[in-house]
Amino acid sequence: MTLRRLITMVPLLLVLLLILILFGAGFALKILWWVAIAVLVLWLIGFVARPKGASGRWYRW
């Protein structure tokens, strides 16, 4: 009886683990999209609002 119970629990645990992994990856990817959008907005602001008389580059690389 214990072996039968174990056989039914393993697939259930694997499905729950898969759900947790996919939820975590989705959450992380959503955060990365927001970070990418914020960086793009900052880059565009720096590109548009460059100082007058500058040589064309607003960054110091």
Side-chain angles (χ1 to χ4, degrees), residues 31-49 58 61:
I31 293 294
L32 287 176
W33 273 111
W34 284 111
V35 169
I37 290 170
V39 168
L40 178 66
V41 167
L42 288 175
W43 180 78
L44 287 174
I45 289 172
F47 186 75
V48 171
W58 59 269
W61 302 343

Side-chain angles (χ1 to χ4, degrees), residues 3-46:
L3 182 61
R4 185 177 181 137
R5 190 172 181 184
L6 181 66
I7 289 174
T8 58
M9 288 296 284
V10 169
L12 179 64
L13 289 175
L14 288 175
V15 168
L16 288 174
L17 183 63
L18 182 65
I19 290 170
L20 284 174
I21 289 172
L22 290 176
F23 175 76
F27 183 74
L29 288 177
K30 190 172 184 177
I31 293 294
L32 287 176
W33 273 111
W34 284 111
V35 169
I37 290 170
V39 168
L40 178 66
V41 167
L42 288 175
W43 180 78
L44 287 174
I45 289 172

